[in-house]
Amino acid sequence: MLELYAVSKIYGNGVVALRDVDLKVNKGEFVFIVGPSGAGKTTLTRLILAEEKPTKGQIIVNNKVVNNLRPSEIPYLRRQIGTVFQDFRLMHNWTVEENVSFAMKVIEAPRRAIRKRVPEVLEMVGLANKAKHLPTQLSGGEQQRVALARAIVNQPYILLADEPTGNLDPETAWGIMRVLQDINAQGTTILMVTHAKNIVDEMRKRVVALEGGRIVRDETRGAYGNEN
Amino acid sequence: MLELYAVSKIYGNGVVALRDVDLKVNKGEFVFIVGPSGAGKTTLTRLILAEEKPTKGQIIVNNKVVNNLRPSEIPYLRRQIGTVFQDFRLMHNWTVEENVSFAMKVIEAPRRAIRKRVPEVLEMVGLANKAKHLPTQLSGGEQQRVALARAIVNQPYILLADEPTGNLDPETAWGIMRVLQDINAQGTTILMVTHAKNIVDEMRKRVVALEGGRIVRDETRGAYGNEN
Amino acid sequence: MRIRTWAFFTGQAFSSMRRNSWMTVASIGTVAVTMIVLGIFLLLGGNINNIAGNIESQVEVSIYLQDEITSGQVDDLAQKFAAMEQVALVKYVSKEEALQELREMYGESGDFLAGLELDNPLRNGFRLRTHRPEQVLEIVPTLRSFDGVAEVQYGQGFVEQLFAVTNVMRVVALGLMLGLASAATFIIANTIRITVFARRREISIMKYVGATDWFIRWPFVIEGMTLGLVGSLIAAGLVAWAYSAAVVNLAVTIPFFPLVKPWPFLLGVSGWLLLIGTTIGVLGSTLSLRRFLRV
Amino acid sequence: MRIRTWAFFTGQAFSSMRRNSWMTVASIGTVAVTMIVLGIFLLLGGNINNIAGNIESQVEVSIYLQDEITSGQVDDLAQKFAAMEQVALVKYVSKEEALQELREMYGESGDFLAGLELDNPLRNGFRLRTHRPEQVLEIVPTLRSFDGVAEVQYGQGFVEQLFAVTNVMRVVALGLMLGLASAATFIIANTIRITVFARRREISIMKYVGATDWFIRWPFVIEGMTLGLVGSLIAAGLVAWAYSAAVVNLAVTIPFFPLVKPWPFLLGVSGWLLLIGTTIGVLGSTLSLRRFLRV
Ligand SMILES: Nc1ncnc2c1ncn2[C@@H]1O[C@H](COP(=O)(O)OP(=O)(O)OP(=O)(O)O)[C@@H](O)[C@H]1O
Ligand SMILES: Nc1ncnc2c1ncn2[C@@H]1O[C@H](COP(=O)(O)OP(=O)(O)OP(=O)(O)O)[C@@H](O)[C@H]1O
Ligand SMILES: [Mg+2]
Ligand SMILES: [Mg+2]
């Protein structure tokens, strides 16, 4: 499903964000990516989305090499991957509903399917009553859940979620985790970047820990911190 | 220092974000504001900053009534209050250093003071080596710490911090909490909106819990959740 | 792409114009004002060209005949002149007619012409006009070579100067029109570029969600086209209205002033305005998008 | 405010222009192009006005004297004419001089004037010019009332028409200049509004950090001023260069064409361009800021 071979990323200003990262994620896995601020977690998701090109190494998504896709192929890669961006990236002057349905319009889904699916997903993230609001009229946590709704509305093969619970209270966060588990159970591979120690510790899923751009730990049923 | 009397806020679209909130915070206090997503926490900070006007009630900061300040007085109110916004609000095309020093230029601080203070504050939040970077070249947690640096650089009377650790790993978050405690010890009143249960539970400071726009709990040495 | 996608693009374009109403008004205003200025230049240019043509078309050749010539020879010459391909008009002017004209020209102060009827010092002759004024210069040598022709006059020196003036007028008018059309293109394209720039964040978000370049581009194309079309429609309307009014008014104030008639002149001018406005609207938005689509 | 704050504002303005280099180039380009067009209109307007004045200033009054008048009366009349405040120039033209002029006018085809010296049918007279051409119409009745004056001619009918034409030319030229100046103002102000709009987020952030309105405004004012100044400097330079070149060229091609001399004409035109460009730059940015400062 997702393979990284000796991937390094050095940004234009010389910052080394990733060093020789090898990672293989199978279909249907649920992986937590943890690590201190600036460890390279977001950079990893950017490379997978072809938002940045790796400086070295190879990235393969669904048996397709990502790092030298033609520009015209990138949209099709991104449609297979639902993404919750750390900074949400919502359209400020579109309603919640329009933000979510846009992802379906992009793949030219039938109008009927859109009308059925969007309220369903908004219900899942607990925003059914905010469908007609603009993101600027929402709280931080509500915006984050709109971003999640947009990411899952197309039932993508892979879900990249960059701190999807960062702005949520523990209770709402657990609600969201249940949604992610459901999606995962239906076959979606999930990579979730998070700082929520209690969630990682409780769920006991695979944990990949980054530090200074290197993978320092990769445990199948891990915890947030090193347990020894 | 900070007093709210029967404050209500109904947004233009009819959403009731705060209902009849009474709150008094004394000089030098450290207050956690907690509550579920959409409870009205950010709205509270917005009213204090005169970013929005309350629909009803009175807000007093430093013995000055905030809710009918003349537009020309608002900047002087905001200079007494350092703010970490939930969405950071950094200038994308200014370096970290410029973002932080801008708050000092606004109050026309001497150039020498700026040159001394800015690196000091960047050191405190652990970003001394990123001074010349643009926010777009920073990780989410790094941006959040720039926002904190800007908020504290002028040693304000009041610090409003809206989830200042939301994008930080637990270790970095604790580093930031120590910074806040230091500032608080030097006399700054702190209102911190947060979802970090373990931080609130550990620090045992005053906790104000909001729910549906109402204050449902106000304990002097409280915890994140209700303890009974 | 499917019909519902096209409907979406159109809806997209119109709701974006409504949401950014402020910027929409500014853009349409800029297009309209620029196109009005261009329209005025086109009208000026058309009229300058017309005036130049009018002036030139007054150029005629006067042929004076020898006194001893017979009327048979005169008819013969008339036929020869008419047979020349450059010649458009041949008119015989007897010396009596010439004197009469002189008298009309001088009016009251023409007293000194009194008594000349008895001993008319003028000569019989022809006046010729050519199809194109410049041809005057070509035919003069041939005319001089005909038997019975005493003298050929065409305002020697003056005609050459006149052509120089009218040519300069034409070049200046054309230069102004082309220059203004480029300026209009530049201004409108710039305005649209800045409005696209103001929305670069939205464009990048669409790309991150998996939209193809054309999916993003179409609403902008439709929007650019609409802005350009509406702006230049306003301009064309105002320009046409103002020119028609001006023509009516000037016909009263200075009846002899040779303004080009409104129809079909205005049809051409409006057509150019609409074509240029709409084209720049479409191209401006499409080209400006390019740099922001690279994410 | 302190000097370091002013230094900060200036630095701010320039680094903002550098960072948004793309938008800066677009704005300066728009100002320059718009101002070039305005400059061309000012040049056209000035020249039209000049041509109108030239044509009008050729208007003169011819006074024909009664044949029986004495030379003492003639001197007397000359003094009376010169004493009239509207009269700028008085010239005596004897009938011999008048005949000579006629002959020169007709050149070769003036054969019919031969022999008139012996029995000159023309009359002695004066030619007058007034300070302002319109004054011709005022003084004619007075002139007619003088003793010894047989007839007064000033091209009746024609002069009225001429004034009508030159007045229309002036009105059109002035209208075009004012219209174009408004258009330029509108386009430049619009461009600056859109660039300010594109930075509304930055403006609101400054306000949230406690900046006063003027603290935010000054860098924009300096930036707007610089954009306007640089754009109109470019325009003024190009217009001045092109006009000087055109004057030199036309002096060769059509030497008699009455173009206004480059100096000090160009000084006035450039001055206007710089003044308008800079003012709109400043006002445009200041006024556009208003709506975004309300946070
Ligand atoms: N566009 C960029 N240009 C240059 N450097 C960058 C850029 N983006 C990130 N960096 C740097 O690369 C490093 C890794 O950043 P990244 O965003 O991947 O961290 P992260 O693990 O997501 O951190 P966080 O938990 O704070 O979001 C950081 O040091 C950051 O400053
Ligand atoms: N500008 C606005 N216009 C209309 N409604 C708004 C606006 N801002 C917030 N709201 C609504 O007001 C309520 C309170 O929002 P607020 O941002 O204060 O919540 P919060 O407690 O900060 O939540 P979070 O923890 O998710 O940030 C929410 O229901 C939100 O949708
Ligand atoms: Mg990150
Ligand atoms: Mg909030």
Side-chain angles (χ1 to χ4, degrees):
Chain A
M1 185 93 249
L2 173 68
E3 297 153 84
L4 281 83
Y5 297 107
V7 169
S8 293
K9 174 66 190 177
I10 306 174
Y11 279 111
N13 59 356
V15 174
V16 185
L18 288 178
R19 301 169 205 254
D20 261 332
V21 169
D22 285 298
L23 180 66
K24 197 168 164 165
V25 178
N26 293 318
K27 187 159 162 40
E29 268 193 287
F30 194 128
V31 184
F32 285 116
I33 315 275
V34 301
S37 177
K41 307 180 295 296
T42 299
T43 302
L44 188 70
T45 67
R46 279 199 193 136
L47 294 180
I48 295 169
L49 280 173
E51 191 182 326
E52 294 276 353
K53 270 190 196 318
T55 314
K56 251 179 49 200
Q58 205 171 35
I59 299 172
I60 299 173
V61 175
N62 248 345
N63 301 319
K64 222 170 151 86
V65 179
V66 167
N67 37 331
N68 38 26
L69 278 183
R70 274 181 289 122
S72 61
E73 288 176 314
I74 292 178
Y76 302 95
L77 166 74
R78 290 180 183 163
R79 291 178 192 183
Q80 300 175 2
I81 307 173
T83 313
V84 182
F85 298 94
Q86 197 169 3
D87 50 0
F88 312 159
R89 302 196 186 166
L90 299 175
M91 294 292 219
H92 292 323
N93 46 15
W94 288 4
T95 63
V96 166
E97 201 174 62
E98 286 170 328
N99 266 286
V100 175
S101 65
F102 182 74
M104 292 188 80
K105 283 178 181 144
V106 160
I107 58 165
E108 302 196 57
R111 214 177 282 202
R112 203 140 36 92
I114 296 179
R115 244 178 309 199
K116 183 163 169 291
R117 176 73 179 155
V118 172
E120 218 172 84
V121 176
L122 288 180
E123 184 66 47
M124 280 163 75
V125 300
L127 287 177
N129 60 334
K130 303 270 178 184
K132 301 288 183 199
H133 289 220
L134 296 176
T136 47
Q137 300 171 334
L138 296 182
S139 79
E142 287 163 348
Q143 290 180 32
Q144 194 159 39
R145 285 178 279 158
V146 178
L148 176 65
R150 184 180 61 188
I152 63 177
V153 72
N154 281 334
Q155 299 175 293
Y157 295 117
I158 304 179
L159 179 70
L160 290 182
D162 203 345
E163 302 197 29
T165 62
N167 285 274
L168 298 177
D169 59 291
E171 199 168 318
T172 314
W174 275 111
I176 293 302
M177 289 317 297
R178 274 189 294 278
V179 172
L180 294 187
Q181 275 186 300
D182 284 355
I183 295 171
N184 183 234
Q186 283 160 36
T188 298
T189 309
I190 297 185
L191 264 80
M192 171 168 160
V193 175
T194 190
H195 294 310
K197 184 176 184 316
N198 51 342
I199 289 179
V200 179
D201 288 349
E202 185 102 358
M203 299 230 338
R204 291 280 143 184
K205 299 283 187 183
R206 181 171 168 194
V207 174
V208 173
L210 283 173
E211 230 179 279
R214 264 186 237 285
I215 293 186
V216 292
R217 191 156 54 90
D218 186 347
E219 295 170 341
T220 316
R221 289 176 58 82
Y224 185 89
N226 215 325
E227 281 169 304
N228 44 9
Chain B
M1 184 94 253
L2 174 67
E3 297 151 84
L4 283 83
Y5 297 107
V7 169
S8 293
K9 174 68 189 175
I10 305 174
Y11 280 110
N13 58 358
V15 175
V16 184
L18 289 178
R19 299 169 207 252
D20 259 332
V21 169
D22 285 297
L23 181 66
K24 196 166 166 167
V25 177
N26 293 318
K27 189 161 160 39
E29 267 193 287
F30 195 128
V31 184
F32 285 116
I33 315 276
V34 301
S37 178
K41 307 180 295 296
T42 299
T43 302
L44 188 70
T45 68
R46 278 199 194 137
L47 294 182
I48 295 170
L49 280 173
E51 192 182 326
E52 295 276 354
K53 272 190 193 322
T55 313
K56 250 179 50 203
Q58 204 171 37
I59 300 172
I60 299 174
V61 175
N62 249 342
N63 302 320
K64 221 169 149 90
V65 179
V66 166
N67 35 331
N68 38 27
L69 278 183
R70 272 181 290 119
S72 61
E73 290 177 312
I74 292 177
Y76 301 96
L77 166 74
R78 291 180 183 162
R79 289 177 194 185
Q80 301 175 1
I81 307 173
T83 313
V84 183
F85 297 94
Q86 195 170 4
D87 50 0
F88 312 161
R89 302 194 187 167
L90 300 175
M91 293 291 221
H92 291 322
N93 46 15
W94 289 4
T95 64
V96 167
E97 203 172 60
E98 287 170 328
N99 266 286
V100 176
S101 66
F102 182 75
M104 293 189 79
K105 283 178 180 144
V106 160
I107 58 163
E108 302 197 58
R111 214 177 283 203
R112 203 140 37 90
I114 296 178
R115 244 177 309 198
K116 185 165 168 291
R117 175 74 179 154
V118 172
E120 221 172 81
V121 175
L122 288 180
E123 184 65 48
M124 280 162 74
V125 300
L127 286 178
N129 61 335
K130 302 270 179 185
K132 302 287 182 199
H133 289 220
L134 296 176
T136 48
Q137 299 171 334
L138 297 181
S139 78
E142 287 163 348
Q143 290 180 32
Q144 194 159 42
R145 286 178 280 158
V146 177
L148 177 64
R150 184 181 61 188
I152 63 177
V153 72
N154 281 334
Q155 300 176 293
Y157 297 117
I158 304 180
L159 179 69
L160 291 182
D162 203 346
E163 301 197 30
T165 61
N167 285 273
L168 299 177
D169 58 290
E171 202 169 315
T172 313
W174 276 110
I176 291 303
M177 290 317 295
R178 275 189 294 276
V179 171
L180 293 187
Q181 274 185 301
D182 285 355
I183 293 172
N184 183 233
Q186 284 160 36
T188 297
T189 308
I190 297 185
L191 263 81
M192 172 167 160
V193 175
T194 190
H195 294 309
K197 185 177 184 318
N198 51 341
I199 289 179
V200 178
D201 288 348
E202 185 102 357
M203 297 225 346
R204 292 279 144 185
K205 299 281 186 185
R206 180 171 169 195
V207 174
V208 173
L210 283 173
E211 232 179 276
R214 265 186 235 284
I215 293 188
V216 293
R217 191 156 53 91
D218 185 348
E219 295 171 341
T220 315
R221 290 178 58 80
Y224 186 89
N226 214 326
E227 281 172 300
N228 43 10
Chain C
M1 279 181 235
R2 309 186 186 196
I3 291 176
R4 64 167 169 273
T5 305
W6 286 106
F8 172 71
F9 290 160
T10 312
Q12 222 19 58
F14 280 85
S15 76
S16 147
M17 283 187 276
R18 213 184 47 243
R19 278 166 184 159
N20 300 301
S21 59
W22 187 83
M23 222 153 67
T24 304
V25 170
S27 314
I28 291 183
T30 303
V31 175
V33 167
T34 315
M35 283 297 156
I36 287 173
V37 175
L38 176 59
I40 293 175
F41 264 80
L42 292 180
L43 292 179
L44 277 180
N47 272 293
I48 290 176
N49 192 31
N50 183 46
I51 291 173
N54 263 352
I55 296 176
E56 287 177 354
S57 69
Q58 319 255 322
V59 170
E60 50 180 28
V61 185
S62 296
I63 298 164
Y64 298 105
L65 302 177
Q66 287 158 357
D67 280 339
E68 54 273 21
I69 205 168
T70 68
S71 71
Q73 278 178 299
V74 171
D75 292 349
D76 202 37
L77 277 173
Q79 275 170 24
K80 278 188 187 151
F81 295 152
M84 292 172 74
E85 58 171 339
Q86 296 99 329
V87 172
L89 193 97
V90 182
K91 194 184 158 209
Y92 178 74
V93 183
S94 70
K95 55 184 179 183
E96 290 76 25
E97 284 165 344
L99 184 64
Q100 186 57 32
E101 274 179 20
L102 257 184
R103 223 182 250 123
E104 278 164 16
M105 217 163 89
Y106 278 88
E108 285 183 58
S109 58
D111 296 351
F112 64 96
L113 297 168
L116 286 185
E117 289 95 346
L118 303 174
D119 181 20
N120 192 335
L122 302 175
R123 287 175 295 192
N124 296 320
F126 286 97
R127 300 232 178 93
L128 299 190
R129 292 226 173 144
T130 50
H131 291 291
R132 280 178 293 114
E134 319 84 77
Q135 292 172 325
V136 163
L137 301 175
E138 294 172 21
I139 61 169
V140 165
T142 323
L143 296 176
R144 286 215 172 99
S145 68
F146 284 120
D147 273 346
V149 170
E151 199 182 340
V152 176
Q153 285 196 354
Y154 63 98
Q156 285 88 333
F158 173 73
V159 165
E160 283 84 351
Q161 284 186 343
L162 181 70
F163 285 162
V165 172
T166 52
N167 279 337
V168 166
M169 278 167 75
R170 282 213 182 80
V171 168
V172 169
L174 194 70
L176 287 180
M177 287 193 292
L178 286 183
L180 226 272
S182 324
T185 308
F186 181 82
I187 291 171
I188 295 173
N190 243 356
T191 307
I192 291 180
R193 276 155 65 101
I194 300 176
T195 65
V196 171
F197 180 75
R199 285 190 272 163
R200 60 199 182 285
R201 183 178 166 276
E202 299 180 23
I203 296 164
S204 72
I205 292 177
M206 293 188 200
K207 288 251 11 192
Y208 290 134
V209 176
T212 57
D213 288 358
W214 274 109
F215 198 90
I216 297 170
R217 218 176 263 140
W218 271 114
F220 277 93
V221 169
I222 297 172
E223 187 177 334
M225 200 185 68
T226 310
L227 295 180
L229 188 65
V230 172
S232 44
L233 264 178
I234 294 174
L238 282 178
V239 164
W241 170 79
Y243 187 72
S244 310
V247 167
V248 170
N249 269 322
L250 282 186
V252 175
T253 335
I254 35 176
F256 50 89
F257 202 81
L259 279 180
V260 182
K261 288 201 181 43
W263 301 104
F265 182 41
L266 282 178
L267 217 63
V269 170
S270 309
W272 276 109
L273 294 187
L274 293 184
L275 183 71
I276 295 178
T278 313
T279 311
I280 307 171
V282 171
L283 287 185
S285 50
T286 317
L287 297 179
S288 330
L289 271 175
R290 273 207 288 188
R291 64 195 318 262
F292 304 116
L293 284 173
R294 283 191 224 106
V295 282
Chain D
M1 278 180 234
R2 308 183 186 198
I3 292 176
R4 65 166 169 274
T5 305
W6 287 106
F8 172 71
F9 289 159
T10 313
Q12 222 18 57
F14 280 86
S15 76
S16 148
M17 283 186 276
R18 214 185 45 245
R19 279 166 183 157
N20 301 301
S21 60
W22 186 84
M23 222 152 67
T24 304
V25 170
S27 313
I28 290 183
T30 302
V31 175
V33 166
T34 314
M35 283 296 156
I36 288 172
V37 174
L38 176 59
I40 293 174
F41 263 80
L42 291 181
L43 294 178
L44 277 182
N47 273 292
I48 289 177
N49 192 29
N50 184 45
I51 292 173
N54 264 352
I55 296 176
E56 287 178 352
S57 69
Q58 319 254 322
V59 171
E60 50 181 26
V61 185
S62 298
I63 298 166
Y64 298 105
L65 302 176
Q66 287 158 356
D67 280 339
E68 55 273 20
I69 205 166
T70 67
S71 70
Q73 278 179 300
V74 170
D75 291 349
D76 201 39
L77 276 174
Q79 275 170 22
K80 278 187 188 153
F81 294 154
M84 292 172 76
E85 59 170 338
Q86 295 100 327
V87 172
L89 195 99
V90 181
K91 197 185 154 210
Y92 179 74
V93 185
S94 69
K95 55 185 178 185
E96 291 75 25
E97 286 165 341
L99 184 63
Q100 185 57 31
E101 273 180 20
L102 256 185
R103 226 182 246 120
E104 279 164 17
M105 215 164 91
Y106 277 89
E108 286 181 59
S109 59
D111 299 349
F112 63 94
L113 297 167
L116 286 185
E117 290 95 348
L118 302 175
D119 179 21
N120 191 334
L122 303 175
R123 287 176 294 191
N124 296 318
F126 286 98
R127 299 235 178 91
L128 299 191
R129 292 226 173 146
T130 49
H131 291 290
R132 281 177 293 115
E134 318 85 76
Q135 292 172 324
V136 163
L137 300 175
E138 294 172 20
I139 61 169
V140 165
T142 322
L143 297 176
R144 286 214 172 101
S145 69
F146 284 121
D147 273 346
V149 170
E151 199 182 340
V152 176
Q153 285 198 352
Y154 63 97
Q156 285 89 332
F158 174 71
V159 165
E160 282 83 352
Q161 283 186 345
L162 180 71
F163 286 162
V165 172
T166 52
N167 280 337
V168 166
M169 278 166 76
R170 281 211 181 84
V171 169
V172 169
L174 194 72
L176 286 180
M177 287 193 292
L178 287 182
L180 225 272
S182 324
T185 308
F186 180 81
I187 291 171
I188 296 173
N190 243 357
T191 307
I192 291 180
R193 276 154 66 100
I194 300 176
T195 66
V196 170
F197 180 74
R199 284 190 273 164
R200 60 199 183 285
R201 183 178 165 275
E202 299 180 25
I203 296 164
S204 72
I205 292 176
M206 292 190 201
K207 288 251 11 194
Y208 290 134
V209 177
T212 57
D213 287 358
W214 275 107
F215 198 91
I216 297 171
R217 219 176 261 141
W218 272 114
F220 277 94
V221 169
I222 297 171
E223 186 176 335
M225 200 184 69
T226 312
L227 295 178
L229 188 66
V230 172
S232 45
L233 264 177
I234 295 174
L238 282 177
V239 164
W241 170 80
Y243 188 70
S244 311
V247 167
V248 171
N249 269 322
L250 281 186
V252 175
T253 336
I254 36 176
F256 50 88
F257 201 80
L259 278 181
V260 182
K261 289 202 179 44
W263 302 105
F265 182 40
L266 282 178
L267 218 62
V269 171
S270 309
W272 275 110
L273 293 187
L274 293 183
L275 182 72
I276 295 179
T278 314
T279 311
I280 307 172
V282 171
L283 287 186
S285 50
T286 316
L287 297 180
S288 330
L289 271 175
R290 273 206 289 187
R291 64 196 317 262
F292 303 116
L293 285 173
R294 281 192 227 107
V295 282

